[in-house]
PDB file of all heavy atoms in Angstrom:
ATOM      1  N   LEU A  54      10.983  -6.952  -2.846  1.00 99.00           N
ATOM      2  CA  LEU A  54       9.767  -7.648  -2.399  1.00 99.00           C
ATOM      3  C   LEU A  54       8.671  -6.522  -2.367  1.00 99.00           C
ATOM      4  O   LEU A  54       8.576  -5.581  -1.663  1.00 99.00           O
ATOM      5  CB  LEU A  54       9.892  -8.267  -1.045  1.00 99.00           C
ATOM      6  CG  LEU A  54       8.728  -8.869  -0.382  1.00 99.00           C
ATOM      7  CD1 LEU A  54       8.180  -9.994  -1.317  1.00 99.00           C
ATOM      8  CD2 LEU A  54       8.906  -9.284   0.961  1.00 99.00           C
ATOM      9  N   ASP A  55       7.607  -6.805  -3.133  1.00 98.00           N
ATOM     10  CA  ASP A  55       6.345  -6.016  -3.151  1.00 98.00           C
ATOM     11  C   ASP A  55       5.320  -6.642  -2.332  1.00 98.00           C
ATOM     12  O   ASP A  55       4.754  -7.669  -2.732  1.00 98.00           O
ATOM     13  CB  ASP A  55       5.878  -5.836  -4.663  1.00 98.00           C
ATOM     14  CG  ASP A  55       4.600  -5.014  -4.795  1.00 98.00           C
ATOM     15  OD1 ASP A  55       4.257  -4.301  -3.822  1.00 98.00           O
ATOM     16  OD2 ASP A  55       4.059  -4.997  -5.890  1.00 98.00           O
ATOM     17  N   VAL A  56       5.114  -6.169  -1.144  1.00 98.00           N
ATOM     18  CA  VAL A  56       4.127  -6.778  -0.156  1.00 98.00           C
ATOM     19  C   VAL A  56       2.764  -6.148  -0.424  1.00 98.00           C
ATOM     20  O   VAL A  56       2.567  -4.954  -0.273  1.00 98.00           O
ATOM     21  CB  VAL A  56       4.640  -6.591   1.280  1.00 98.00           C
ATOM     22  CG1 VAL A  56       3.802  -7.444   2.242  1.00 98.00           C
ATOM     23  CG2 VAL A  56       6.149  -7.001   1.420  1.00 98.00           C
ATOM     24  N   GLY A  57       1.768  -7.152  -0.453  1.00 98.00           N
ATOM     25  CA  GLY A  57       0.431  -6.689  -0.761  1.00 98.00           C
ATOM     26  C   GLY A  57       0.328  -6.019  -2.166  1.00 98.00           C
ATOM     27  O   GLY A  57      -0.215  -4.950  -2.346  1.00 98.00           O
ATOM     28  N   THR A  58       0.882  -6.761  -3.187  1.00 98.00           N
ATOM     29  CA  THR A  58       0.929  -6.196  -4.506  1.00 98.00           C
ATOM     30  C   THR A  58      -0.386  -5.944  -5.094  1.00 98.00           C
ATOM     31  O   THR A  58      -0.549  -5.015  -5.995  1.00 98.00           O
ATOM     32  CB  THR A  58       1.642  -7.224  -5.410  1.00 98.00           C
ATOM     33  OG1 THR A  58       2.021  -6.571  -6.637  1.00 98.00           O
ATOM     34  CG2 THR A  58       0.861  -8.421  -5.583  1.00 98.00           C
ATOM     35  N   GLY A  59      -1.508  -6.488  -4.578  1.00 97.00           N
ATOM     36  CA  GLY A  59      -2.881  -6.240  -5.134  1.00 97.00           C
ATOM     37  C   GLY A  59      -2.836  -6.585  -6.713  1.00 97.00           C
ATOM     38  O   GLY A  59      -2.298  -7.685  -6.992  1.00 97.00           O
ATOM     39  N   PHE A  63       2.948  -1.719  -8.467  1.00 98.00           N
ATOM     40  CA  PHE A  63       4.397  -1.541  -8.117  1.00 98.00           C
ATOM     41  C   PHE A  63       5.316  -2.508  -8.861  1.00 98.00           C
ATOM     42  O   PHE A  63       6.356  -2.212  -9.430  1.00 98.00           O
ATOM     43  CB  PHE A  63       4.625  -1.612  -6.704  1.00 98.00           C
ATOM     44  CG  PHE A  63       4.354  -0.341  -5.886  1.00 98.00           C
ATOM     45  CD1 PHE A  63       3.913   0.806  -6.527  1.00 98.00           C
ATOM     46  CD2 PHE A  63       4.589  -0.305  -4.545  1.00 98.00           C
ATOM     47  CE1 PHE A  63       3.747   1.979  -5.877  1.00 98.00           C
ATOM     48  CE2 PHE A  63       4.412   0.898  -3.845  1.00 98.00           C
ATOM     49  CZ  PHE A  63       3.917   1.989  -4.493  1.00 98.00           C
ATOM     50  N   SER A  64       4.810  -3.772  -8.753  1.00 98.00           N
ATOM     51  CA  SER A  64       5.670  -4.857  -9.424  1.00 98.00           C
ATOM     52  C   SER A  64       5.820  -4.657 -10.963  1.00 98.00           C
ATOM     53  O   SER A  64       6.918  -4.952 -11.434  1.00 98.00           O
ATOM     54  CB  SER A  64       5.066  -6.264  -9.119  1.00 98.00           C
ATOM     55  OG  SER A  64       5.188  -6.594  -7.831  1.00 98.00           O
ATOM     56  N   THR A  75       9.790  -9.786  -6.593  1.00 98.00           N
ATOM     57  CA  THR A  75       8.863 -10.814  -6.028  1.00 98.00           C
ATOM     58  C   THR A  75       7.630 -10.106  -5.510  1.00 98.00           C
ATOM     59  O   THR A  75       7.785  -9.125  -4.844  1.00 98.00           O
ATOM     60  CB  THR A  75       9.554 -11.642  -4.898  1.00 98.00           C
ATOM     61  OG1 THR A  75      10.782 -12.318  -5.377  1.00 98.00           O
ATOM     62  CG2 THR A  75       8.642 -12.702  -4.274  1.00 98.00           C
ATOM     63  N   ALA A  76       6.451 -10.577  -5.822  1.00 98.00           N
ATOM     64  CA  ALA A  76       5.285  -9.949  -5.498  1.00 98.00           C
ATOM     65  C   ALA A  76       4.377 -10.924  -4.664  1.00 98.00           C
ATOM     66  O   ALA A  76       4.119 -11.972  -5.120  1.00 98.00           O
ATOM     67  CB  ALA A  76       4.604  -9.467  -6.659  1.00 98.00           C
ATOM     68  N   VAL A  77       3.918 -10.502  -3.419  1.00 98.00           N
ATOM     69  CA  VAL A  77       3.055 -11.332  -2.657  1.00 98.00           C
ATOM     70  C   VAL A  77       1.738 -10.585  -2.342  1.00 98.00           C
ATOM     71  O   VAL A  77       1.714  -9.429  -2.159  1.00 98.00           O
ATOM     72  CB  VAL A  77       3.779 -11.759  -1.287  1.00 98.00           C
ATOM     73  CG1 VAL A  77       5.065 -12.514  -1.620  1.00 98.00           C
ATOM     74  CG2 VAL A  77       4.010 -10.605  -0.400  1.00 98.00           C
ATOM     75  N   ASP A  78       0.718 -11.445  -2.251  1.00 98.00           N
ATOM     76  CA  ASP A  78      -0.554 -10.947  -1.863  1.00 98.00           C
ATOM     77  C   ASP A  78      -1.303 -12.010  -0.998  1.00 98.00           C
ATOM     78  O   ASP A  78      -1.139 -13.184  -1.270  1.00 98.00           O
ATOM     79  CB  ASP A  78      -1.472 -10.438  -2.976  1.00 98.00           C
ATOM     80  CG  ASP A  78      -2.469  -9.360  -2.560  1.00 98.00           C
ATOM     81  OD1 ASP A  78      -3.561  -9.820  -2.223  1.00 98.00           O
ATOM     82  OD2 ASP A  78      -2.177  -8.176  -2.548  1.00 98.00           O
ATOM     83  N   MET A 103       0.676 -15.083  -0.053  1.00 98.00           N
ATOM     84  CA  MET A 103       1.379 -15.095   1.266  1.00 98.00           C
ATOM     85  C   MET A 103       0.762 -14.038   2.087  1.00 98.00           C
ATOM     86  O   MET A 103       0.298 -13.026   1.617  1.00 98.00           O
ATOM     87  CB  MET A 103       2.832 -14.922   1.018  1.00 98.00           C
ATOM     88  CG  MET A 103       3.747 -15.330   2.137  1.00 98.00           C
ATOM     89  SD  MET A 103       5.475 -15.165   1.762  1.00 98.00           S
ATOM     90  CE  MET A 103       5.689 -16.233   0.243  1.00 98.00           C
ATOM     91  N   ASP A 104       0.832 -14.270   3.416  1.00 98.00           N
ATOM     92  CA  ASP A 104       0.396 -13.307   4.391  1.00 98.00           C
ATOM     93  C   ASP A 104       1.560 -12.333   4.715  1.00 98.00           C
ATOM     94  O   ASP A 104       2.723 -12.803   5.102  1.00 98.00           O
ATOM     95  CB  ASP A 104       0.007 -14.052   5.662  1.00 98.00           C
ATOM     96  CG  ASP A 104      -0.577 -13.083   6.715  1.00 98.00           C
ATOM     97  OD1 ASP A 104      -0.474 -12.047   6.656  1.00 98.00           O
ATOM     98  OD2 ASP A 104      -0.928 -13.735   7.815  1.00 98.00           O
ATOM     99  N   ALA A 105       1.278 -11.072   4.628  1.00 98.00           N
ATOM    100  CA  ALA A 105       2.411 -10.054   4.866  1.00 98.00           C
ATOM    101  C   ALA A 105       2.939 -10.131   6.266  1.00 98.00           C
ATOM    102  O   ALA A 105       4.034  -9.602   6.667  1.00 98.00           O
ATOM    103  CB  ALA A 105       1.791  -8.699   4.482  1.00 98.00           C
ATOM    104  N   GLN A 106       1.987 -10.760   7.203  1.00 98.00           N
ATOM    105  CA  GLN A 106       2.428 -10.873   8.656  1.00 98.00           C
ATOM    106  C   GLN A 106       3.233 -12.061   8.852  1.00 98.00           C
ATOM    107  O   GLN A 106       3.757 -12.235  10.003  1.00 98.00           O
ATOM    108  CB  GLN A 106       1.118 -10.864   9.447  1.00 98.00           C
ATOM    109  CG  GLN A 106       0.375  -9.481   9.175  1.00 98.00           C
ATOM    110  CD  GLN A 106      -1.122  -9.625   9.548  1.00 98.00           C
ATOM    111  OE1 GLN A 106      -1.609  -8.804  10.290  1.00 98.00           O
ATOM    112  NE2 GLN A 106      -1.764 -10.690   9.134  1.00 98.00           N
ATOM    113  N   LEU A 108       5.748 -14.076   6.564  1.00 98.00           N
ATOM    114  CA  LEU A 108       6.409 -14.391   5.224  1.00 98.00           C
ATOM    115  C   LEU A 108       7.170 -15.593   5.195  1.00 98.00           C
ATOM    116  O   LEU A 108       7.859 -15.933   6.172  1.00 98.00           O
ATOM    117  CB  LEU A 108       7.327 -13.056   4.922  1.00 98.00           C
ATOM    118  CG  LEU A 108       6.765 -11.839   4.700  1.00 98.00           C
ATOM    119  CD1 LEU A 108       7.701 -10.732   4.533  1.00 98.00           C
ATOM    120  CD2 LEU A 108       5.667 -11.823   3.536  1.00 98.00           C
ATOM    121  N   VAL A 118      12.007  -3.609   0.407  1.00 98.00           N
ATOM    122  CA  VAL A 118      10.672  -4.035   0.447  1.00 98.00           C
ATOM    123  C   VAL A 118       9.814  -2.738   0.277  1.00 98.00           C
ATOM    124  O   VAL A 118      10.041  -1.760   0.852  1.00 98.00           O
ATOM    125  CB  VAL A 118      10.289  -4.527   1.951  1.00 98.00           C
ATOM    126  CG1 VAL A 118       8.787  -4.729   2.201  1.00 98.00           C
ATOM    127  CG2 VAL A 118      11.127  -5.857   2.264  1.00 98.00           C
ATOM    128  N   VAL A 119       8.763  -2.942  -0.616  1.00 98.00           N
ATOM    129  CA  VAL A 119       7.842  -1.811  -0.933  1.00 98.00           C
ATOM    130  C   VAL A 119       6.478  -2.285  -0.673  1.00 98.00           C
ATOM    131  O   VAL A 119       6.130  -3.515  -0.821  1.00 98.00           O
ATOM    132  CB  VAL A 119       7.987  -1.377  -2.543  1.00 98.00           C
ATOM    133  CG1 VAL A 119       9.370  -0.886  -2.688  1.00 98.00           C
ATOM    134  CG2 VAL A 119       7.638  -2.520  -3.463  1.00 98.00           C
ATOM    135  N   SER A 120       5.635  -1.351  -0.316  1.00 98.00           N
ATOM    136  CA  SER A 120       4.260  -1.580  -0.042  1.00 98.00           C
ATOM    137  C   SER A 120       3.417  -0.346  -0.105  1.00 98.00           C
ATOM    138  O   SER A 120       3.945   0.796   0.055  1.00 98.00           O
ATOM    139  CB  SER A 120       4.110  -2.209   1.360  1.00 98.00           C
ATOM    140  OG  SER A 120       2.773  -2.632   1.665  1.00 98.00           O
ATOM    141  N   ARG A 121       2.137  -0.603  -0.514  1.00 98.00           N
ATOM    142  CA  ARG A 121       1.256   0.576  -0.613  1.00 98.00           C
ATOM    143  C   ARG A 121      -0.118   0.260  -0.157  1.00 98.00           C
ATOM    144  O   ARG A 121      -0.654  -0.849  -0.592  1.00 98.00           O
ATOM    145  CB  ARG A 121       1.116   1.059  -2.128  1.00 98.00           C
ATOM    146  CG  ARG A 121       0.198   2.168  -2.366  1.00 98.00           C
ATOM    147  CD  ARG A 121       0.311   2.763  -3.797  1.00 98.00           C
ATOM    148  NE  ARG A 121      -0.252   1.779  -4.737  1.00 98.00           N
ATOM    149  CZ  ARG A 121      -0.778   2.166  -5.922  1.00 98.00           C
ATOM    150  NH1 ARG A 121      -0.841   3.468  -6.267  1.00 98.00           N
ATOM    151  NH2 ARG A 121      -1.136   1.283  -6.836  1.00 98.00           N
ATOM    152  N   LEU A 123      -1.389  -1.051   2.550  1.00 98.00           N
ATOM    153  CA  LEU A 123      -1.641  -2.313   3.114  1.00 98.00           C
ATOM    154  C   LEU A 123      -1.624  -2.277   4.596  1.00 98.00           C
ATOM    155  O   LEU A 123      -2.484  -2.839   5.242  1.00 98.00           O
ATOM    156  CB  LEU A 123      -0.470  -3.299   2.628  1.00 98.00           C
ATOM    157  CG  LEU A 123      -0.360  -4.639   3.287  1.00 98.00           C
ATOM    158  CD1 LEU A 123      -1.635  -5.434   2.887  1.00 98.00           C
ATOM    159  CD2 LEU A 123       0.858  -5.300   3.007  1.00 98.00           C
ATOM    160  N   ALA A 133       3.906  -7.474  10.988  1.00 98.00           N
ATOM    161  CA  ALA A 133       4.271  -7.305   9.581  1.00 98.00           C
ATOM    162  C   ALA A 133       5.511  -6.457   9.455  1.00 98.00           C
ATOM    163  O   ALA A 133       6.443  -6.940   8.710  1.00 98.00           O
ATOM    164  CB  ALA A 133       3.097  -6.609   8.752  1.00 98.00           C
ATOM    165  N   TRP A 137       9.080  -7.796   7.768  1.00 98.00           N
ATOM    166  CA  TRP A 137       9.711  -7.117   6.614  1.00 98.00           C
ATOM    167  C   TRP A 137      11.177  -6.805   7.000  1.00 98.00           C
ATOM    168  O   TRP A 137      12.078  -6.836   6.115  1.00 98.00           O
ATOM    169  CB  TRP A 137       8.964  -5.865   6.224  1.00 98.00           C
ATOM    170  CG  TRP A 137       7.566  -6.088   5.867  1.00 98.00           C
ATOM    171  CD1 TRP A 137       6.857  -7.194   5.932  1.00 98.00           C
ATOM    172  CD2 TRP A 137       6.520  -5.102   5.592  1.00 98.00           C
ATOM    173  NE1 TRP A 137       5.525  -7.097   5.552  1.00 98.00           N
ATOM    174  CE2 TRP A 137       5.315  -5.774   5.440  1.00 98.00           C
ATOM    175  CE3 TRP A 137       6.616  -3.687   5.430  1.00 98.00           C
ATOM    176  CZ2 TRP A 137       4.083  -5.103   5.112  1.00 98.00           C
ATOM    177  CZ3 TRP A 137       5.460  -2.996   5.204  1.00 98.00           C
ATOM    178  CH2 TRP A 137       4.205  -3.729   4.921  1.00 98.00           C
TER     179      TRP A 137
END
Side-chain angles (χ1 to χ4, degrees):
L54 174 64
D55 179 13
V56 187
T58 189
F63 274 2
S64 289
T75 299
V77 303
D78 201 274
M103 199 176 299
D104 181 358
Q106 303 159 130
L108 298 175
V118 172
V119 298
S120 187
R121 177 173 70 151
L123 172 67
W137 304 357

